[in-house]
Amino acid sequence: MTLESATRGRSPRSRVGRAPAWLVGLAAVCAAAAAIPLVYLVVRSADAGLAELADTLLRPRVLTLTLNSVVLAAFVTVTCLVLGTLSAWLLTRLRLPSARAWLLVSALPLAVPSYLAAYGWLVWFPGFNGFWASWLVLSVVCTPYVTLPVAAALRGASGDLEAVARTLGRGPLGAFRAATWPRIRPAAIAGGLLVGLYALSDFGLVSMLRFQTLTWGINAAYGASFDRNQAAMLALVLVVLALVVVAGERRSRGRVVHSPGRNAPGTIRPGRALVPALGVLLIAPGLGVAVPVAGLVSRLVDAETLREIDLVRLAEAIGATLGLAVAGALVAAVLALPVAALAARYRGRLVSAIESVGFLGHALPGIVVGLSLVFFTLSVMPALYQSVVVLVFGYAVLFMPKAIGTMRGGIAAVPGSLLDVSRMLGLSPLAVWWRVTAPLALPSVGIGALLVAISVMKELPATLLLRPTGISTLATELWNRTTVFEFGAAAPYAAALVLLAAVPAVILSGIRGVAKEEV
């Protein structure tokens, strides 16, 4: 039975038993590629033996690094949940002037890599370091991960029940907790998951601000003594923490509670509360974007900095960044497409397992993927050690989930009736894909590839570990100069990184607009 005939008379998603064997096999191979770093990391740690593993993990230094990582991630996640949820409520429940502009302003910190934000703060405050410094900058950079999904959920949640709770004598906070929070909790917890994973996996910011976490310990173990076993075991601890966060999010998000009645966002006049409300909305973009960008500009316009700019080296870094971004996006899209096509049209345990493995990179910090591929290539394919091939593959593993999620939605949106009609007209399954599914799903494929490209441009730890000798990106050039406190020399690379990452973001907005018009 063909793919299209299997869907006839059914919903676009069917049982996995109906899926073509070639599609299942191809998707399984592509998903398995994403599991290579984790599998080899486990094997590498197992080779050390239980005695060495226990000795390493029970060292006071390792316990301190683990505690630092957990506490920082917990503080940042709670802060982002509170600030992000409050910001989302203000954006959707108050009548703000230029509401859409304020939503855009609230999303701006997503465009600034954490290590670039840390760089901007260090320009103004060279002694800015430690736990509280890391907590502050990470929190303001990550707040949009909660604000945006919660704002979307609030637009779909009725304000009627919250108004009823207020008439029954509950205060604003009590009414929100009783009537609104159950409806937006899944979105808030999903955003909190992203924040927690980001905080656990961050390397550049905590290193610049001199707060030692597991990512710092992994890099130190690998770089100082090339202690493969210790670095691998620390990386495994970090992966376990990330998987615990993912599992906890799935258990705690609960079922989505649908809200009856009319939607009522933006029904409250702020009055005298307008200024404090706008002040709250400016916390994240002000501290996460304005302060770092101001520091960047102050260094960039300095006459001495302008005289010392190495234009050739800057051009080479821009070229390398663009080339790797394009290559990473293409490879990630190729690996993600079969998985997305299978998950979009079929359901079942095997499909869910393949899709989950494909999303594994979502829980793997960049430094873990980089370290795992270093070990893997040295042991299995030494000829590829520190090659562009391995670096691009590392990018694909890290950012494949971004492409899978976007492509899956686009392919699933193609009406099954069009596929049925195409098959009835005598087209082969391959012809149906190229002439019907591919053109309609192309915007989602482009969006997925651009999301990967933006992420590749900003990726730091995996690039530091896997890049070939002599190749430097804008991120690595910025890192190399800030680690020795050459803030003026780092400014041109930071500015180029911000401008370069803005290009695919603008293209991404255009593609989304076209997709909405077609729908």
Side-chain angles (χ1 to χ4, degrees), residues 49-315:
L50 291 177
E52 184 177 350
L53 179 63
D55 178 67
T56 299
L57 298 183
L58 293 177
R59 292 176 184 174
R61 186 61 176 162
V62 174
L63 294 176
T64 300
L65 294 176
T66 304
L67 183 62
N68 286 348
S69 296
V70 172
V71 172
L72 178 63
F75 271 62
V76 171
T77 302
V78 172
T79 303
C80 290
L81 280 173
V82 174
L83 182 58
T85 302
L86 178 58
S87 299
W89 189 90
L90 295 173
L91 288 168
T92 56
R93 291 293 190 258
L94 295 185
R95 295 182 184 177
L96 300 176
S98 304
R100 291 187 179 181
W102 281 105
L103 181 61
L104 176 61
V105 169
S106 299
L108 285 179
L110 292 178
V112 179
S114 60
Y115 54 86
L116 197 152
Y119 159 78
W121 276 85
L122 287 172
V123 168
W124 295 114
F125 311 102
F128 189 68
N129 57 67
F131 172 82
W132 294 111
S134 302
W135 162 78
L136 175 63
V137 181
L138 267 179
S139 296
V140 295
V141 167
C142 295
T143 292
Y145 286 117
V146 176
T147 302
L148 298 181
V150 172
L154 281 169
R155 289 192 184 93
S158 172
D160 296 340
L161 295 179
E162 192 171 336
V164 170
R166 292 293 301 275
T167 62
L168 294 176
R170 292 182 179 267
L173 182 59
F176 175 83
R177 291 180 57 187
T180 305
W181 174 249
R183 292 159 178 78
I184 66 171
R185 185 179 66 180
I189 294 179
L193 164 68
L194 295 177
V195 173
L197 292 176
Y198 194 104
L200 282 174
S201 63
D202 184 83
F203 167 72
L205 180 145
V206 294
S207 298
M208 286 185 181
L209 300 182
R210 290 181 282 180
F211 181 67
Q212 298 178 0
T213 61
L214 279 170
T215 54
W216 179 90
I218 293 168
N219 185 70
Y222 172 76
S225 60
F226 207 70
D227 188 343
R228 296 184 180 182
N229 289 340
Q230 182 177 350
M233 286 182 280
L234 289 177
L236 192 60
V237 172
L238 189 58
V239 170
V240 170
L241 291 176
L243 293 176
V244 167
V245 171
V246 174
E249 184 271 340
R250 289 189 175 183
R251 288 180 61 88
S252 61
R253 83 175 92 170
R255 298 178 59 185
V256 178
V257 180
H258 296 284
S259 178
R262 65 181 181 88
N263 295 333
T267 58
I268 302 175
R269 293 184 180 276
R272 295 181 179 179
L274 178 61
V275 174
L278 296 182
V280 171
L281 293 176
L282 285 174
I283 291 176
L287 300 180
V289 179
V291 172
V293 170
L296 169 62
V297 172
S298 70
R299 290 291 183 177
L300 193 59
V301 299
D302 183 79
E304 184 177 350
T305 298
L306 294 176
R307 287 195 301 268
E308 294 179 354
I309 294 179
D310 188 339
L311 294 178
V312 174
R313 193 173 184 86
L314 179 61

Side-chain angles (χ1 to χ4, degrees), residues 10 41 88 120-121 133 139 193 214 253 260 274 310 328 352 359 368 421 424 428 442 456 469 490 492 505:
R10 303 174 183 268
L41 188 65
W121 276 85
S139 296
L193 164 68
L214 279 170
R253 83 175 92 170
L274 178 61
D310 188 339
S352 298
F359 274 97
V368 171
V421 171
M424 292 174 64
S428 66
L442 187 60
V456 170
T469 302

Side-chain angles (χ1 to χ4, degrees), residues 270-436:
R272 295 181 179 179
L274 178 61
V275 174
L278 296 182
V280 171
L281 293 176
L282 285 174
I283 291 176
L287 300 180
V289 179
V291 172
V293 170
L296 169 62
V297 172
S298 70
R299 290 291 183 177
L300 193 59
V301 299
D302 183 79
E304 184 177 350
T305 298
L306 294 176
R307 287 195 301 268
E308 294 179 354
I309 294 179
D310 188 339
L311 294 178
V312 174
R313 193 173 184 86
L314 179 61
E316 291 175 350
I318 293 174
T321 301
L322 281 174
L324 290 173
V326 172
L330 289 176
V331 174
V334 169
L335 292 177
L337 193 56
V339 180
L342 181 67
R345 292 295 179 190
Y346 301 95
R347 64 179 57 173
R349 292 183 178 179
L350 181 57
V351 172
S352 298
I354 292 174
E355 187 180 13
S356 297
V357 173
F359 274 97
L360 191 61
H362 190 63
L364 294 179
I367 194 169
V368 171
V369 171
L371 188 66
S372 302
L373 290 179
V374 167
F375 294 162
F376 179 77
T377 51
L378 286 174
S379 301
V380 180
M381 299 178 293
L384 293 179
Y385 175 64
Q386 284 192 324
S387 67
V388 174
V389 174
V390 177
L391 177 57
V392 171
F393 178 73
Y395 290 145
V397 170
L398 277 171
F399 306 122
M400 214 169 79
K402 298 179 184 293
I404 292 176
T406 305
M407 293 179 185
R408 179 185 58 194
I411 295 172
V414 178
S417 58
L418 292 181
L419 307 181
D420 293 340
V421 171
S422 301
R423 291 294 293 130
M424 292 174 64
L425 294 176
L427 295 179
S428 66
L430 186 60
V432 171
W433 168 259
W434 283 112
R435 299 180 64 176
V436 180

